[in-house]
Amino acid sequence: MFLRDVLATDVEAYQRMRCDPAMMAELGGPLSAAHVARQVRRDARLAADGVALIKMIVVDETVAGTVTLWRGPGDGTLTEIGWMVLPEFQGRGLAKRGVRALLDQARTAGRADTVHAFPAVGNGPSNAICRSLGFTLLGEEDVEFNDQVIRTRHWTLDLNGPDGRPETGLPR
């Protein structure tokens, strides 16, 4: 598994994730193919310009999912991380490995001191990733995403742990 920047040609993978009712069930429902095509072009520009860390999780030359670190809404001071893994790749630990790798990149690049994650309350696997990587649960809150209000768990992680790396609790 490795991470690479999203490209404008990643439309099919984006559509498989974001147009799928099951994958988007806890994120306000599926998006239109046209919206997703615009989104991948925008994300590719943001990644190329260094504005956001938008990575594709790649396994055996096949895109398995995404992991993204960006400045959140509002005043842009909150740094947020999110991830998605296609169904046929789920259950292999790829999301957890991808999140950890991106957190390490963010720390090394000095992209943020604290990272926030907002998985839906009912998304057991994503909440488990936060817990296992050493995020601290602050509580539950409503977050707007795709013009929907979603009940989430708010997790944070200090990227400046005692040894200068994310507090993931995992051996190197």
Side-chain angles (χ1 to χ4, degrees):
M1 184 224 64
F2 69 93
L3 301 180
R4 68 157 170 81
D5 283 347
V6 62
L7 304 171
T9 55
D10 285 319
V11 174
E12 180 185 351
Y14 260 52
Q15 287 177 338
R16 287 198 55 219
M17 287 179 263
R18 291 166 173 85
C19 297
D20 182 280
M23 287 201 66
M24 295 296 291
E26 296 191 51
L27 295 172
L31 303 174
S32 73
H35 174 85
V36 172
R38 288 188 304 274
Q39 185 181 38
V40 73
R41 286 192 301 271
R42 182 204 69 205
D43 286 358
R45 279 192 309 273
L46 292 172
D49 293 344
V51 174
L53 297 175
I54 304 173
K55 304 294 184 178
M56 305 305 286
I57 300 169
V58 180
V59 175
D60 297 329
E61 299 182 34
T62 302
V63 171
T66 64
V67 59
T68 304
L69 188 89
W70 72 98
R71 295 284 183 187
D75 63 6
T77 58
L78 184 132
T79 301
E80 188 173 342
I81 192 165
W83 55 89
M84 297 181 92
V85 173
L86 288 163
E88 64 268 28
F89 292 98
Q90 292 175 5
R92 299 184 194 179
L94 295 172
K96 183 176 176 177
R97 288 172 42 209
V99 168
R100 180 167 183 206
L102 192 60
L103 291 170
D104 284 341
Q105 287 180 22
R107 180 206 36 87
T108 299
R111 296 289 294 235
D113 292 326
T114 302
V115 173
H116 300 258
F118 296 92
V121 169
N123 188 333
S126 285
N127 282 290
I129 288 170
C130 291
R131 190 176 311 104
S132 70
L133 291 179
F135 282 73
T136 299
L137 178 60
L138 298 183
E140 293 184 7
E141 63 184 77
D142 292 331
V143 173
E144 188 173 326
F145 185 79
N146 289 332
D147 299 323
Q148 303 284 327
V149 175
I150 300 165
R151 189 71 178 165
T152 68
R153 290 207 171 107
H154 183 179
W155 298 87
T156 62
L157 180 70
D158 177 5
L159 291 184
N160 300 309
D163 62 356
R165 65 182 181 85
E167 287 299 302
T168 60
L170 297 175
R172 288 265 217 213

